[in-house]
Structure formats: structure tokens, C-alpha cells
Amino acid sequence: MSDAINHFSIQVSDEVLDDLKTRLANTRWPEAEPVDDWSQGAPLGWIQEVCEYWRNDYDWRAREAALNRFDHFTTNLDGLDFHFIHQRSPHENALPLVMTHGWPGSVVEFHKVIEPLVNPTKYGGDASDAFHLILPTLPGFGFSGKPTETGWGVERTAKAWSVLMARLGYERYVAQGGDWGSAVTTALGWTDPEHCQAIHVTLAMGTRPKVDGEPTASEQRALDGMKHYNDWDSGYSKEQSTRPQTIGYALNDSPSGQAAWILEKFWAWTDCDGHPENVLGRDELLDNVMLYWATASGASSARIYWQSFRRAEQHPVTIPTGVAVYPKEIVPPVRKWMEAGNFPNIQHWAEFDKGGHFAAFEQPETFINDLRSFFRAVR
């Protein structure tokens, strides 16, 4: 099996783009929701508006060129081809940092933070805070390969990232992640502590509540988040963790369906004051959707839920851990619960007034400053 690292450029074919426009034009729409809010899902009027923009005004070629300003590569890890961005810093002694996205995100989430993290002096920062960035695409997502066998859960992905970092020549590195990226980053912390020096997460996946007596304010906020998620927000997760193949037929066949499936979560999980376009631009929302549509990865990306739910291992992370708490996270982390679970070495805890699940996408400046602050201690 080849260890080669190959240059890669995003090049979606004209046939895929023409087919997308045809499908959008021929969408068979449902009737409008009989409510005046998002309680039954993404509203018909907005999804129609977004899809009309997607068909007539969205310029993928310009957006593709903007994403290609970064250095893209592919390599084979454990029998599967992976896509990743590897943006090296011009500054000496930059710290290698592997950052992992989740669902329904992609490397698009990081497009506003890559350059300031890699070249801080260009953005008013200090060269001593520079990072070499490695941004892999999860198995089955975007331009990474689609597994044809079971087994590609969180731990196997983390082990693949360890191999990738070694292949790139990094004997010492740090890691960051949100959503499934938090789980992969956590697994890196306990599978490769000899090389992974510290981790930073925004979601405490796998942590269980441990309430003694009256809940504190942060505990109550997390408990409220759990209840809302279980009662109103987790249907997608149940479907993807039990029947990813079934939902995949609809997602791979209908661009409006793929868009609604993803964009509803950007309403639910961002700190957006009721509408995702209050915090993220329509083009960047569609950039992210395009990485699912253009690669037909509705089913293959969903399988990480089937593969990892009820199967993920849990082990203590003994290396230094940093945690960022954003108020509109699905379940904001609670320090006491994390320390009582698998995070006994939390050395950095930062709570912010604004932001949600997609931290780098929503609040890039806050995200950048927090990473710089924590990782200074392990350089």
C-alpha cells in the first residue's frame, strides 16, 4: 500500500453542476408547514429561497477557487483514501495542529481561521503563536474515500490521523475538534499520547451528567440542553445511527432535501438569534452543503453515527486538555462532569458569551484567540 502524499485540487465536473441545476428546477416541494416557526423543521419559504439562489446565483466556480487557495492533498491511510488540507506556516517553530470537523460540517468550517492561525503576523498576531495546520476530512465525508467495510468509527479514524501526522513528519503535535471532531480528538488523546501533546475540544462527547443535589447554573444549562436535544432535536441522529442507508437514498437524490437536512441544524445549533443567515453568509452555508452534494456523501457521512454510537470506546485522556464553552452548544460542557469522567487533566477552561456548535465558523476571532491562549502552554 502506497504511503504517497498527492496534491489535490477541488474540481467538480460541469456534469455534476448541470445536474444539480436540473434537479433544483424540478424539485417536487411539500406543502408549507402549518406553523409560523421552525418547530416542524426548516420552513418551506426559506428553503425554496435558498435553493432558487443555489440554482441561479450561487457561483460554485468562484467558491471552488476560494477553497483551492489552500493546499489540498490526498493519501491512503489504513486502506482508505483521505483528503486533507495541509497549510504550513512561514514561521519557524510553528506548532503542528490537526483539526477535525464533524457532521453536518466540513473543512469549510475552518476557512476563516486557517490563514490567521498559520500566519498570525499578517493578521496582527505574534509569530510565536503560529501553527502548521492539518485539516483531514472524515471517512465518508466530502472528498475522502467512502468505506466499503464496517469499522471506520472514532478510534480507527483517530489512529489514521496519528499515521497521517507521522507521515507528514510531525513527531509532536496538538489536536482540536468539535462535534465528531471532538470525539476523534479525544481518541487521539488516549491512543497517541506519546506524540499528541495536548487536545482542545468544544463538545464533551461521551461525558455523562453527575449531579449531586441542586444543579449549578452550568449543570442546569447542560441538563436543559440534553432534554431539548432528546425531545426535539435528535431525530436525525436516531435515523443516521440506525438506518443511514435508508436516509441516504433521499439525501443523494434530492439537493433540496440534502440542503434542508443540513441547514436546519445550522438554525438549531448556531448562536443566530433565530435565523442561520444572521451569523453565516448564504454562500458559505452552501459551500458546506456542496461538499456533501457534489460528492454524493449523504449516506456515507451518516454512517459515522451507525459505526460509533454504542460502539465507541472510552478511556481517560491524561495529556493537557483545553475546553471552550460556547453558550449555544447543543450541550455546553460542564467541567465537573468532564473531570469526573475521562478528562482528569483539564488545564484550560474558557467560557464565552457568544457562539454555538460551529465555533470556528461562527466566531473565528474568539476561536483563534482561545487556541492561541491554550496551546502556548505546550509549545
Side-chain angles (χ1 to χ4, degrees), residues 321-377:
T321 300
V323 182
V325 183
Y326 291 88
K328 296 298 182 179
E329 179 58 89
I330 302 169
V331 179
V334 176
R335 183 166 189 162
K336 185 170 70 173
W337 298 353
M338 291 183 72
E339 290 177 330
N342 293 315
F343 299 91
N345 192 14
I346 295 175
Q347 296 189 6
H348 172 90
W349 187 272
E351 300 195 13
F352 301 105
D353 296 329
K354 188 74 175 172
H357 187 66
F358 306 94
F361 217 3
E362 298 177 56
Q363 298 295 326
E365 185 175 351
T366 300
F367 180 85
I368 289 166
N369 289 336
D370 189 51
L371 262 59
R372 288 174 178 169
S373 176
F374 170 55
F375 287 125
R376 281 178 194 139

Side-chain angles (χ1 to χ4, degrees), residues 106-175:
S106 66
V107 293
V108 168
E109 289 180 58
F110 304 127
H111 81 98
K112 289 178 279 197
V113 305
I114 293 173
E115 288 151 324
L117 287 171
V118 166
N119 192 5
T121 58
K122 187 177 178 181
Y123 297 84
D126 194 296
S128 63
D129 285 325
F131 295 93
H132 298 306
L133 283 188
I134 302 87
L135 312 175
T137 294
L138 289 168
F141 286 67
F143 298 102
S144 282
K146 299 174 182 178
T148 58
E149 60 180 7
T150 60
W152 276 104
V154 166
E155 294 81 18
R156 188 172 177 181
T157 302
K159 290 173 182 177
W161 282 194
S162 299
V163 173
L164 174 61
M165 297 303 283
R167 188 171 296 173
L168 293 173
Y170 298 127
E171 295 184 3
R172 178 178 178 273
Y173 65 91
V174 295

Side-chain angles (χ1 to χ4, degrees), residues 273-338:
D273 297 322
H275 199 289
E277 288 186 87
N278 288 335
V279 67
L280 295 169
R282 185 172 291 183
D283 280 345
E284 58 187 351
L285 287 169
L286 284 172
D287 292 346
N288 181 64
V289 173
M290 277 293 291
L291 263 62
Y292 287 80
W293 178 259
T295 60
S297 55
S300 55
S301 62
R303 290 194 186 104
I304 194 171
Y305 288 79
W306 185 93
Q307 188 61 62
S308 297
F309 275 25
R310 302 172 300 278
R311 297 173 176 86
E313 294 183 40
Q314 298 287 328
H315 297 277
V317 178
T318 58
I319 61 175
T321 300
V323 182
V325 183
Y326 291 88
K328 296 298 182 179
E329 179 58 89
I330 302 169
V331 179
V334 176
R335 183 166 189 162
K336 185 170 70 173
W337 298 353
M338 291 183 72

Side-chain angles (χ1 to χ4, degrees), residues 250-262:
L251 298 179
N252 277 20
D253 193 57
S254 169
S256 63
Q258 179 70 89
W261 191 247
I262 287 175

Side-chain angles (χ1 to χ4, degrees), residues 60-274:
W60 168 250
R61 291 302 180 206
R63 308 302 293 180
E64 184 179 65
L67 290 172
N68 278 331
R69 75 187 187 274
F70 305 123
D71 298 328
H72 297 256
F73 301 88
T74 60
T75 195
N76 190 282
L77 303 167
D78 195 10
L80 190 67
D81 289 333
F82 280 91
H83 161 260
F84 63 99
I85 293 172
H86 182 201
Q87 209 69 27
R88 287 188 59 84
S89 174
H91 299 293
E92 192 176 359
N93 300 321
L95 180 64
L97 167 61
V98 55
M99 294 202 303
T100 309
H101 67 88
W103 185 96
S106 66
V107 293
V108 168
E109 289 180 58
F110 304 127
H111 81 98
K112 289 178 279 197
V113 305
I114 293 173
E115 288 151 324
L117 287 171
V118 166
N119 192 5
T121 58
K122 187 177 178 181
Y123 297 84
D126 194 296
S128 63
D129 285 325
F131 295 93
H132 298 306
L133 283 188
I134 302 87
L135 312 175
T137 294
L138 289 168
F141 286 67
F143 298 102
S144 282
K146 299 174 182 178
T148 58
E149 60 180 7
T150 60
W152 276 104
V154 166
E155 294 81 18
R156 188 172 177 181
T157 302
K159 290 173 182 177
W161 282 194
S162 299
V163 173
L164 174 61
M165 297 303 283
R167 188 171 296 173
L168 293 173
Y170 298 127
E171 295 184 3
R172 178 178 178 273
Y173 65 91
V174 295
Q176 195 282 330
D179 193 83
W180 283 110
S182 285
V184 172
T185 298
T186 297
L188 270 173
W190 60 261
T191 58
D192 194 25
E194 292 182 14
H195 305 100
C196 184
Q197 303 295 294
I199 66 167
H200 180 284
V201 296
T202 56
L203 186 65
M205 289 185 74
T207 297
R208 297 289 177 259
K210 295 176 174 62
V211 180
D212 299 317
E214 192 71 19
T216 65
S218 62
E219 288 175 331
Q220 190 61 56
R221 181 174 65 174
L223 291 169
D224 291 344
M226 289 178 186
K227 179 171 173 43
H228 176 77
Y229 181 77
N230 289 330
D231 289 350
W232 292 103
D233 203 24
S234 58
Y236 79 97
S237 175
K238 191 66 173 177
E239 181 69 21
Q240 295 191 158
S241 65
T242 59
R243 298 293 185 269
Q245 188 69 21
T246 301
I247 190 62
Y249 297 113
L251 298 179
N252 277 20
D253 193 57
S254 169
S256 63
Q258 179 70 89
W261 191 247
I262 287 175
L263 293 178
E264 188 266 329
K265 292 308 171 198
F266 280 85
W267 164 77
W269 297 346
T270 59
D271 192 356
C272 66
D273 297 322

